[in-house]
Amino acid sequence: MKPKQSAHKNRQRDLFRPELTKIIDPGHGLVKLAKVVNWDRMDEVFGQTYCPDNGRPGVSTRLMVSLHYLKFSYNLSDDDVVSGWVENPYWQYLSGMQFFEHDPPIDPSSMSRWRKRIGEAGAEELLKETIAAGLKIKAVKPHQLKRVNVDTTVQEKDIRFPTDARLYDRARQKLVDAAKQRGIALRQNYNRNAKQFLAQQSRYAHARQMKRARRCTRKLKTYLGRVIRDIERKSQHPDEALKSLLTIGTRIFHQQRKDKNKIYSVHEPAVECISKGKAHKRYEFGCKISVAATSRGGWFVGAKAVHGNPYDGHTLKDALKQVEQIAHPPEHVFVDMGYRGHGYSGKVDVHVDKRRRGRTAKSLWRWMKRRAAVEPGIGHLKQEHRMDRCRLKGTLGDCINAILSAAGMNFRKLLRWAADFLYQFYFRLLFYQRSDTLTGIVIK
C-alpha cells in the first residue's frame, strides 16, 4: 500500500514524551533544511512506485529519503545510519518525527529494498531536490548552472583483488554449495585439497617461486573443471540460478590472460578492469563514472555510471542529458583533452581543454582553466561520500551509489552553508547590539 504519512503531521500531543521542537535548536542547519526540502513532492514522486490497495502500508517516504541523505552525507552504512538516528534528535526532526524516539524506526535491510524500488530514476530525483533546495535558499545561484565541468572517474567495486587461483577456487566453492542446496551428490567436492593448494599458491607467489605457484594454479583449475562437468552430468535441466553459476564458472575456466570481457568476481560478474594511467594504481576494478559539477560553487548536477568501459568522449551525450533533467540545460561545458573527438552535436558549447591558449579569448581561457576544479570534488566524493568502493550489488547498485554520492555531497554543502549563514547573521546582530550599547543608543 501507499507509504505512511510523516509523524510531524500528527498534531496530537503526548503528556509523557517530549516534542522535538522543545529539544532542538531552531537555528541548526538540519532544522532549516528540513523546512526547505519539498517533502510533498517526494511523497508524490515515490508514492507512484507502491501498489495502492495491496499489502501493508509502506514506510514513510520522508523517513527513507532523510536516511539516505544522511547515509551518503556522513559516509555511513545502513546499520550505522539507523543506529545513529536513535541517538540524534536533529536526524529525527529531519525525518519528520514529532517526538523523540528511542527505538530504531526500521530494519536496515529496508533501505536496500527501497533503493531497488526507486531505481536510478528515483536516485536522480534525490539529487534534483538538493539543487532545488539550494536555489530556494540561494546557496546555488542560477548563473552557476550555466557553466558545467564534466569528467570521468572509476568507482571501484567492493571485491578482492582478482587472481586466477582465487577465481578458480571461489567459482568451485560456489558451485559446490549450490549443488549441496539442490541435493546433487558430487563425486568429490575438493574442499580440503583446494584450501591447501590456494594457501600454497599464495606463499609460492610471495616467495617468487613462480613455477611452483603456477603448478598450484593449474591444480585449482583442474578441480573447477571436474566440478563443472560433474554437475552438468547429474543436472540435465538446471534452474536459472544454477545455470548462471555454471556459465560464470565455465567462462572463468576458459578465459585467458589477453581475452576481453573477462570475469573478475564470481558474485559481481559485471566488474570491469579499467586503467586510467595512475602511477599508484595501475588497474581499478569497477565501472566508469561520468560526473558533472558547476564551474563555480562545485555543485554536482550529474553522476552517471557507464558500463562497458567506453571512450570518455562517447559518454558526454548521456551526461549532458542527465544534467538537463536534474538541474538546467547548461550553456557551456568544459572537458579535458580525453574528450577530443567526442562527436557531440547539440545546443551546448563544448570546450575541450588544451595546453596553450593560442587565439582563445582571455575570458574563456579562465573558465577553461577552472575545469580542473572538478578534480578535488571527485576526491571528496570518494573519500567522504562512499564513491571509493561501491558496496551495492549489481549494475543497478553502481548507478544508484554514484548518484546518491553526489546527492550526499550537495546535501552536506547545503548543511554547511545554512550553518555558516546563521552564524554570520547572529554574529552581525550581536555586533550591532554591542556597538549601539557603547554609543548609548538603543534600537528597538
Side-chain angles (χ1 to χ4, degrees):
M1 294 180 65
K2 294 290 184 179
K4 301 177 183 177
Q5 294 293 331
S6 299
H8 80 287
K9 295 185 178 181
N10 182 17
R11 297 303 179 183
Q12 186 171 358
R13 299 180 180 273
D14 193 326
L15 182 62
F16 302 101
R17 289 196 298 171
E19 291 189 3
L20 287 173
T21 54
K22 298 180 180 179
I23 299 175
I24 61 178
D25 177 15
H28 195 274
L30 280 176
V31 178
K32 185 172 183 179
L33 287 183
K35 300 176 182 178
V36 172
V37 178
N38 192 350
W39 302 110
D40 294 333
R41 177 179 169 275
M42 292 291 181
D43 289 332
E44 180 181 356
V45 171
F46 297 125
Q48 299 175 1
T49 61
Y50 291 84
C51 180
D53 56 356
N54 187 20
R56 67 176 183 178
V59 182
S60 169
T61 300
R62 178 169 177 174
L63 172 63
M64 300 304 296
V65 170
S66 301
L67 288 176
H68 280 85
Y69 276 144
L70 295 169
K71 169 187 171 68
F72 286 89
S73 297
Y74 296 100
N75 193 10
L76 301 173
S77 64
D78 292 344
D79 294 331
D80 291 339
V81 72
V82 172
S83 60
W85 184 92
V86 180
E87 304 171 359
N88 197 318
Y90 293 99
W91 289 12
Q92 296 188 17
Y93 182 83
L94 178 68
S95 59
M97 295 294 113
Q98 182 182 7
F99 304 101
F100 186 81
E101 304 290 340
H102 298 273
D103 297 324
I106 57 171
D107 189 86
S109 60
S110 299
M111 296 183 66
S112 61
R113 289 192 290 270
W114 191 79
R115 285 191 295 266
K116 294 178 182 178
R117 177 184 293 274
I118 65 173
E120 184 179 0
E124 290 179 351
E125 291 293 335
L126 294 181
L127 179 58
K128 182 178 181 179
E129 185 58 33
T130 60
I131 301 298
L135 291 170
K136 191 179 298 184
I137 63 176
K138 298 183 179 180
V140 182
K141 307 298 188 297
H143 65 83
Q144 292 179 341
L145 302 177
K146 296 180 180 179
R147 295 178 175 86
V148 174
N149 298 332
V150 178
D151 199 3
T152 60
T153 185
V154 179
Q155 177 180 251
E156 293 188 76
K157 204 73 171 181
D158 191 18
I159 62 172
R160 298 187 303 178
F161 187 85
T163 62
D164 290 340
R166 288 178 181 174
L167 286 175
Y168 293 148
D169 182 67
R170 188 63 174 170
R172 180 203 56 81
Q173 185 180 357
K174 285 287 187 179
L175 287 170
V176 168
D177 294 341
K180 184 178 180 180
Q181 293 175 0
R182 291 161 177 79
I184 301 175
L186 299 178
R187 187 175 58 124
Q188 190 174 351
N189 56 27
Y190 305 100
N191 286 335
R192 182 175 59 86
N193 295 337
K195 183 178 180 180
Q196 294 176 356
F197 278 109
L198 182 62
Q200 288 179 6
Q201 192 275 339
S202 300
R203 296 191 188 102
Y204 287 144
H206 180 72
R208 308 305 297 172
Q209 300 181 16
M210 305 312 296
K211 185 178 292 187
R212 292 178 174 177
R214 284 193 294 268
R215 188 182 302 119
C216 296
T217 303
R218 287 197 301 269
K219 201 68 176 177
L220 292 170
K221 183 178 181 180
T222 302
Y223 290 161
L224 173 61
R226 290 176 182 176
V227 171
I228 291 174
R229 291 189 294 271
D230 197 5
I231 293 177
E232 289 176 344
R233 284 194 301 267
K234 297 178 179 178
S235 179
Q236 299 296 332
H237 303 285
D239 56 85
E240 292 297 328
L242 183 57
K243 186 185 295 184
S244 176
L245 269 177
L246 286 172
T247 303
I248 294 173
T250 304
R251 287 182 58 185
I252 292 175
F253 181 79
H254 290 291
Q255 67 186 12
Q256 300 296 323
R257 180 172 183 174
K258 296 185 179 181
D259 291 347
K260 293 184 179 180
N261 301 322
K262 293 194 293 185
I263 291 181
Y264 299 97
S265 175
V266 178
H267 72 282
E268 290 290 348
V271 167
E272 299 147 4
C273 179
I274 303 174
S275 177
K276 297 286 279 186
K278 299 178 181 178
H280 66 285
K281 191 180 293 185
R282 186 175 181 182
Y283 299 109
E284 295 174 283
F285 299 93
C287 71
K288 185 172 287 189
I289 303 293
S290 176
V291 296
T294 58
S295 297
R296 288 289 183 184
W299 299 96
F300 279 90
V301 291
K304 191 173 186 63
V306 186
H307 295 89
N309 191 15
Y311 168 61
D312 287 357
H314 296 162
T315 66
L316 183 60
K317 181 179 179 180
D318 293 335
L320 294 181
K321 184 178 179 181
Q322 187 188 47
V323 172
E324 294 178 5
Q325 295 174 353
I326 291 176
H328 188 272
E331 297 179 2
H332 301 275
V333 172
F334 302 93
V335 295
D336 59 13
M337 288 187 289
Y339 283 79
R340 288 176 294 187
H342 52 78
Y344 171 78
S345 58
K347 298 180 180 180
V348 184
D349 294 332
V350 180
H351 306 281
V352 181
D353 195 13
K354 53 185 180 179
R355 293 184 177 87
R356 295 179 179 83
R357 175 183 164 189
R359 297 183 179 180
T360 306
K362 190 173 182 180
S363 58
L364 179 60
W365 182 252
R366 290 175 180 175
W367 286 108
M368 291 178 66
K369 292 296 102 179
R370 277 204 60 82
R371 185 218 61 84
V374 73
E375 302 292 350
I378 293 174
H380 285 294
L381 285 179
K382 291 190 174 184
Q383 294 296 326
E384 303 168 10
H385 302 285
R386 302 186 70 80
M387 195 184 277
D388 56 341
R389 294 181 76 84
C390 179
R391 298 162 181 86
L392 306 185
K393 186 173 178 58
T395 57
L396 179 61
D398 295 332
C399 301
I400 293 176
N401 190 78
I403 299 172
L404 292 183
S405 296
M409 183 168 177
N410 285 351
F411 192 83
R412 189 71 180 271
K413 291 180 67 174
L414 289 174
L415 179 59
R416 292 197 191 101
W417 190 92
D420 292 344
F421 173 78
L422 292 173
Y423 173 77
Q424 294 171 8
F425 175 78
Y426 288 126
F427 178 78
R428 291 175 182 175
L429 182 63
L430 181 63
F431 176 77
Y432 291 145
Q433 288 179 352
R434 288 181 177 179
S435 62
D436 294 339
T437 304
L438 291 176
T439 58
I441 302 174
V442 179
I443 300 175
K444 294 184 179 180

